[in-house]
Structures are given as C-alpha cells and as structure tokens.
Amino acid sequence: MEKHLRPTSIDVLARQLSQIHALPHAVLVDCARAAVELNQHDTFGAASLLAADFAGHLLGDVVNATGVLLHTNLGRAPRAYDAERTAHFRAVNVEFDLDEGRRSSRHESISSLLRLLINAESALVVNNNAAAVMLVASALAHGRGIAVSRGESVEIGGGFRIPEVIEQSGANLVDVGTTNKTYRSDFQKAIENSDVALIMSIHSSNFELSGFVHRPTTAELSTLDCPLVVDIGSGLLDNTCPWLTTQGISVPPWLGGEPAARQALADGAAVVTFSGDKLLGGPQCGIIAGRRALVDQCAKHPLMRAVRPGTDIMMDIQSTLLSYLTREAIRKIPFWSMVAETEENLYRRAVEVVRNAEIGFVEKVESIPGAGSAPSARISSWAVVLEGDFAALLRHNNPPIIARLDRDRTICDLRSIAREDDAVLACAIRTILN
Ligand SMILES: *Cc1c(COP(=O)(O)O)cnc(C)c1O
C-alpha cells in the first residue's frame, strides 16, 4: 500500500512557512503539498505565495482610503468595536422579559427606540432591507396586487429588482403610470380596477430621473384608500438631523433630497423599510417600521423566522439607535463621525501624514456617501496623493489600505479613515516608498 510520498519534507516545509505566515498548521501543510506538486525550482517561494494567497482571502480589518464612506465591497457602514460588552461569554435577553421573567418579543427594544426616534408605532429588524421588502410584500400582499409606479420599478444593486422581488413574494405587480410621469390619479385608477393590497413607493437610490418627470408625493399617496409602503432604502432617520444640529453642525446640503423615515411616516406612510448599514450607520440589517397591525402581520409571517438576525446584530442596532437618542451619533457612529469631520481637520491630518511619511503631497478631493445613498452628493475632503500606482502595495500592507487610483496617481482620502489610523497610513507610505 502506498504511503504519503514525502511526508517529512512537506512537514518541514510547513514549519518553515509558519515562521512568516500566522496560519493554522493544516493550511500550511496544504500549501506545502500543493507547492511540491507544482514541482517548481523554488518550492519554498511557491508555497509561501500560496499561503499569502490563502491569508488574502480571509476576512479582516482594512483601512478604507477610497473616500467612499459606505463602500459596498468594504462592508458599507464601518463599525467600531464595542468595548462596553464583557469579554467573557454571557447570554442576551433577546426574547426574555426581565420584569416578568418570561418569554417576550424580540422586537420590543427596537420598537420602543424607533417610537421615540421616528414616531413609529412598532418596528421589526430583519437581515437586510431586501429581506424587509420581501417580507412586507409576502405578509401584506400575498396573492393580491402591489401598485408600483413604472418609474420606480427599478433594479437596486446586484440582484435586487423590484418586479422580481414582488413576484417572489407571491404578490402581483400592478404597473402604474409611465416611466417618467406618474400621478396620484393613476394610483387611484389602479386601486379601483384591480385588487391592490398595497401601494409601494421605492426610492430609486443610485438612479435619477430628471427633466420631464412627475411623481406623486408620499402625502398625496397616503390619502388613497390603500396602505402605503415607502422603501426609503438609505435609513436616514430624520431629515432635520437633530443628532447634528444639537451639536452645532448644520444639516449637510447633500442630504437634501434623501427621503427620511420620520417624515415619510408623518406624511402618512403606513410602513417604511430601510437598511441598517447605509445612512443609519449601523450593522447590516433591515428595518420595517410603522403601523402596529401591519408590523405585527410581518412578525407573524413564516418568512420572519428565516430572515431574523442574530443577537450580535440586535445588540449592535440597539446601540446605534441609542447613540442617536443620547445625541452621541457623531462620536459613536463611525459614518456620522466621518461626515462631521471638518475640512480644516482633514487638511491638518493630511499635512501631518505627509510630514510623517516624508513623501507625497496634500490635495483637495471629494468624498461620496456611497451605497447608492444620495448618489450625486459630493463631500469636500483632503487627501494624501502619491505620484504612481501604489494601490497593490498598500493593499498588501498589514492592515491592508484600500486607496483610489486617478490616472497614475494614488489617492488616500482621509475622510473615510479613522483619525487613529493616520499613523498607520503614514508608516505604510514611508515603508513602501523609501
Ligand atoms: C439599498 C436598498 C435596498 C436593499 O437593501 P439591502 O440592505 O442592501 O438589502 C432596497 N431598497 C432600496 C431603496 C435601497 O436603497
């Protein structure tokens, strides 16, 4: 019977690899074996490349220097480590009433916070906003019609197409109006002529119609005899931004056109749906908020069990919402910290990075919110610029730094970088270029 061909040499090679790669022995043995099979002149070099490739595919922290504040490939809203939780293991009262000592609903904490923040009677958290829209359509309109303007029957990012989501939910899409112009009277007709359970208004996010266009307002649609669901997408809680204005920061002009949850409900929407990790700045999740009877119907639907998030997400979204209430959003929610950072500070930080890196220069640039939120918005910022393409070298830094390329220049926008990582950036640049 044949035994391992070269067990000792592979083991030795794996041990050598462990000097430079912090990976499990089993992984290094696999790389060593694959490198031996490649039968190249430099077996150690080949094995080391395979190990580096393996490490490069593991998830880990990166420094986002792209200037896209909510970068879909980098996990959208960045999260700060919650140092207030204990390091040893403990359970979470996710479905347990501490007062009564018995089972409770896992949505009570979120509902009570969103009642204060956006004046919603009730709320529900699911895995993402796609799940929120799917659940709302399934629970509230299965076998019946959902009226959607032809101008809002859109695709939002890979694989999320409103007509397909509605079809999957078992409801029927009722097309209303035209691509560019849809009026309240078109919806009125649709309700009279077909069995419409819901009107759905979808924020087109990363797509804009302009020119000869008309769409009815939320206030207009909410006076029709049919519940109105508004998918606002980005999760801006309130367009007056009290978490900024109470801190002496005015509402950024680029937020102007974004629909907000509080105002949509005030204008008469029965339900709003939005993502947790866009402008809300929280973890990946989706929120369904609005009239209690409708939210309860969603909570009771069998799909709810399949789309409910785990306790870590519930804790994280709760602390995000608490930060809005305690007016600590710009300190505790990384997205709002990035937004609130002044141009003067960004300039000073950029100058300091260039001084410590001993190379490069500072330049005024524009950041963008990203994730399809406020798609035409530009936010003034300052960057450290290097002549030449150093993107790959920066990506291989530890921690990896993701920069932007503009022609043959490498741009590191400081607005999407935490102040604490300026030294990491300076050190990486100095090491790479000198
Ligand atoms: C982003 C977005 C979605 C999808 O949300 P996910 O949280 O990515 O699932 C749905 N609708 C609108 C309007 C959006 O902007």
Side-chain angles (χ1 to χ4, degrees):
M1 205 175 73
E2 199 183 354
K3 290 245 170 113
H4 299 297
L5 276 177
R6 301 159 72 178
T8 1
S9 63
I10 283 173
D11 204 55
V12 168
L13 189 49
R15 277 180 211 291
Q16 286 168 343
L17 288 172
S18 72
Q19 308 286 309
I20 47 173
H21 299 282
L23 288 168
H25 188 65
V27 172
L28 297 177
V29 166
D30 192 54
C31 295
R33 192 171 286 139
V36 168
E37 273 166 23
L38 285 173
N39 201 16
Q40 281 178 348
H41 170 64
D42 179 10
T43 311
F44 180 79
S48 187
L49 278 178
L50 290 171
D53 189 56
F54 186 96
H57 285 96
L58 294 176
L59 302 182
D61 289 354
V62 304
V63 175
N64 175 9
T66 64
V68 181
L69 309 190
L70 305 167
H71 198 301
T72 303
N73 303 151
L74 304 178
R76 285 196 189 150
R79 309 299 303 136
Y81 172 67
D82 185 358
E84 281 158 31
R85 290 188 72 182
T86 54
H88 61 277
F89 73 81
R90 273 187 186 163
V92 174
N93 60 326
V94 66
E95 270 184 28
F96 187 75
D97 186 320
L98 293 174
D99 243 13
E100 309 277 335
R102 55 179 157 79
R103 183 173 183 176
S104 71
S105 141
R106 58 168 58 211
H107 309 295
E108 257 155 46
S109 67
I110 295 306
S111 288
S112 55
L113 296 174
L114 283 170
R115 187 169 48 77
L116 293 169
L117 286 164
I118 62 174
N119 203 18
E121 284 176 14
S122 185
L124 202 57
V125 186
V126 295
N127 283 335
N128 47 45
N129 191 30
V133 174
M134 178 71 118
L135 179 58
V136 164
S138 308
L140 306 181
H142 187 90
R144 300 184 60 199
I146 300 181
V148 177
S149 162
R150 285 191 169 83
E152 296 180 1
S153 223
V154 293
E155 171 176 319
I156 300 161
F160 187 82
R161 313 178 88 189
I162 291 297
E164 290 171 8
V165 170
I166 290 180
E167 190 192 319
Q168 276 297 317
S169 74
N172 318 308
L173 174 65
V174 178
D175 286 314
V176 178
T178 65
T179 305
N180 57 329
K181 291 211 177 201
T182 303
Y183 300 91
R184 179 184 181 278
S185 56
D186 296 322
F187 279 98
Q188 176 89 54
K189 258 181 263 158
I191 294 168
E192 284 163 8
N193 298 337
S194 27
D195 176 32
V196 174
L198 289 180
I199 295 172
M200 204 178 262
S201 169
I202 297 115
H203 181 49
S204 47
S205 296
N206 42 12
F207 152 83
E208 277 171 351
L209 271 178
S210 62
F212 193 57
V213 296
H214 181 85
R215 54 191 298 267
T217 63
T218 299
E220 282 173 332
L221 290 180
S222 66
T223 58
L224 291 164
D225 189 20
C226 182
L228 170 66
V229 174
V230 183
D231 176 19
I232 63 168
S234 73
L236 179 64
L237 289 183
D238 183 335
N239 64 22
T240 66
C241 301
W243 58 93
L244 296 181
T245 52
T246 55
Q247 309 302 304
I249 299 167
S250 46
V251 179
W254 54 266
L255 269 180
E258 276 301 297
R262 187 177 190 99
Q263 283 72 27
L265 292 175
D267 284 348
V271 167
V272 289
T273 61
F274 49 92
S275 299
D277 54 349
K278 294 182 180 173
L279 298 183
L280 186 64
Q284 182 195 301
C285 64
I287 293 175
I288 300 169
R291 280 189 217 150
R292 184 181 306 283
L294 300 179
V295 174
D296 282 352
Q297 234 172 298
C298 294
K300 281 195 219 111
H301 191 273
L303 247 189
M304 181 59 215
R305 180 65 186 239
V307 297
R308 71 178 191 191
T311 51
D312 277 351
I313 298 293
M314 297 298 282
M315 293 285 280
D316 200 356
I317 188 68
Q318 173 180 282
S319 71
T320 303
L321 296 177
L322 280 168
S323 302
Y324 279 99
L325 280 176
T326 57
R327 301 281 184 252
E328 292 173 296
I330 58 172
R331 205 165 57 72
K332 290 201 172 167
I333 301 177
F335 173 73
W336 290 108
S337 313
M338 297 190 284
V339 169
E341 183 74 320
T342 63
E343 270 181 70
E344 296 74 51
N345 273 344
L346 290 164
Y347 173 75
R348 250 179 270 136
R349 287 172 51 191
V351 168
E352 180 75 3
V353 170
V354 167
R355 202 171 60 79
N356 290 330
E358 295 165 8
I359 196 154
F361 53 93
V362 306
E363 192 171 290
K364 201 168 164 62
V365 293
E366 287 179 328
S367 314
I368 59 172
S373 310
S376 45
R378 296 288 176 272
I379 312 170
S380 293
S381 183
W382 285 89
V384 174
V385 178
L386 307 170
E387 292 291 354
D389 178 355
F390 298 100
L393 285 168
L394 287 168
R395 275 203 313 277
H396 288 101
N397 186 64
N398 178 21
I401 297 169
I402 317 300
R404 182 166 86 216
L405 274 183
D406 178 24
R407 279 152 292 167
D408 204 33
R409 294 160 6 117
T410 306
I411 308 209
C412 301
D413 185 334
L414 290 194
R415 194 179 283 283
S416 55
I417 301 177
R419 225 170 296 179
E420 292 77 359
D421 279 332
D422 287 359
V424 171
L425 177 63
C427 177
I429 294 175
R430 194 177 54 221
T431 315
I432 287 167
L433 278 104
N434 294 327

